[in-house]
């Protein structure tokens, strides 16, 4: 019975993780840009960093860790301000950096950390998880270690599946693009990422 319950929660977590990852945002743009410039591996690692962030915040929501949730929501303005600055800096870096597949990032942990930080600096994600949990009738239960672990794993796998599909499709598309078009995509990505950052900064300050 416990095994069946964990399997059901795992599948629900997978669906939630997939749905959470799908909306287009700075992480999605970053994954596409890195896949086009540095190859499938770099793009996927960026996506997995975001999936890890989703899993962490999903775990906090699933475990019913009210003190942690309250703390993150309490410093929401500071987190969003920091995230906005990070996005603007990332946009500038993307604009001026010249990339190609041969210059793929060598430090995997740095690639993962970038997208991880983009996710965890938005504590509203926890509220989104709580909404999904309510829709899927998942109740936070403190001490239900196996169920919580199954949900966290499901969220990570679901989110990771989306990034796998996105980066795989982008890689296939990149084979039809010339270098000039890649430069254009870099600049568009930089403007979009920086634009997200300016919006977050304005929202945090106003």
């Amino acid at each position: 019975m416990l095994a069946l319950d964990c399997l059901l929660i795992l599948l629900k977590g997978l669906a939630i993780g997939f749905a959470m990852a799908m909306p287009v945002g700075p992480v999605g743009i970053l994954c596409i840009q890195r896949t086009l410039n540095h190859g499938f591996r770099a793009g996927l690692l960026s996506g997995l960093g975001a999936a890890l962030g989703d899993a962490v915040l999903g775990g906090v929501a699933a475990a019913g860790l009210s003190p942690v949730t309250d703390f993150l929501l309490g410093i929401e303005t500071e987190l969003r301000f920091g995230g906005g600055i990070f996005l603007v800096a990332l946009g500038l870096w993307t604009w001026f950096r010249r990339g190609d597949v041969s210059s793929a990032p060598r430090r995997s942990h740095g690639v993962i950390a970038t997208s991880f930080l983009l996710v965890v600096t938005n504590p509203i994600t926890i509220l989104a998880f709580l909404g999904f949990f309510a829709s899927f009738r998942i109740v936070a239960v403190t001490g239900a270690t196996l169920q919580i672990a199954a949900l966290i794993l499901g969220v990570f796998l679901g989110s990771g599946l989306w990034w796998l599909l996105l980066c795989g499709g982008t890689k296939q598309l990149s084979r039809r693009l010339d270098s000039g078009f890649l430069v254009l995509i870099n600049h568009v990505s930089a403007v979009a990422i920086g634009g997200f950052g300016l919006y977050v900064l304005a929202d945090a300050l106003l």
Side-chain angles (χ1 to χ4, degrees):
M1 185 65 181
L2 179 60
L4 181 60
D5 187 37
C6 287
L7 178 59
L8 182 60
I9 292 177
L10 174 69
L11 294 176
K12 289 182 177 181
L14 195 149
I16 292 171
F18 191 86
M20 287 286 292
M22 283 184 67
V24 177
V27 176
I29 295 172
L30 183 64
C31 288
I32 292 173
Q33 188 268 340
R34 282 181 170 169
T35 301
L36 290 174
N37 284 277
H38 306 300
F40 173 78
R41 179 175 175 272
L44 181 59
L45 285 175
S46 298
L48 292 180
L52 182 60
D54 283 337
V56 169
L57 295 183
V60 170
L65 300 177
S66 297
V68 178
T69 301
D70 293 341
F71 172 74
L72 291 175
L73 293 177
I75 61 170
E76 176 191 350
T77 300
E78 290 80 0
L79 286 174
R80 290 179 68 80
F81 184 77
I85 292 177
F86 183 69
L87 281 171
V88 171
L90 185 61
L92 291 172
W93 182 84
T94 301
W95 178 279
F96 291 107
R97 180 177 175 82
R98 296 179 60 187
D100 54 68
V101 175
S102 63
S103 63
R106 296 181 180 181
R107 296 184 177 181
S108 299
H109 60 275
V111 175
I112 294 173
T114 304
S115 49
F116 176 81
L117 288 173
L118 289 177
V119 172
V120 298
T121 53
N122 183 13
I124 299 301
T125 303
I126 294 180
L127 300 182
F129 273 115
L130 292 175
F132 272 111
F133 293 165
S135 299
F136 281 82
R137 297 182 180 179
I138 298 174
V139 180
V141 180
T142 303
T145 307
L146 290 178
Q147 290 90 335
I148 293 172
L151 184 60
I152 292 173
L153 178 61
V155 169
F156 178 78
L157 292 177
S159 181
L161 176 60
W162 166 253
W163 298 121
L164 176 66
L165 295 174
L166 179 65
C167 295
T170 302
K171 180 61 179 177
Q172 291 298 317
L173 178 64
S174 68
R175 296 174 179 175
R176 304 179 182 180
L177 304 178
D178 58 29
S179 58
F181 195 73
L182 288 179
V183 171
L184 175 62
I185 291 177
N186 277 345
H187 288 167
V188 172
S189 299
V191 171
I193 293 172
F196 274 114
L198 292 175
Y199 171 80
V200 171
L201 281 174
D203 187 56
L205 294 174
L206 298 179

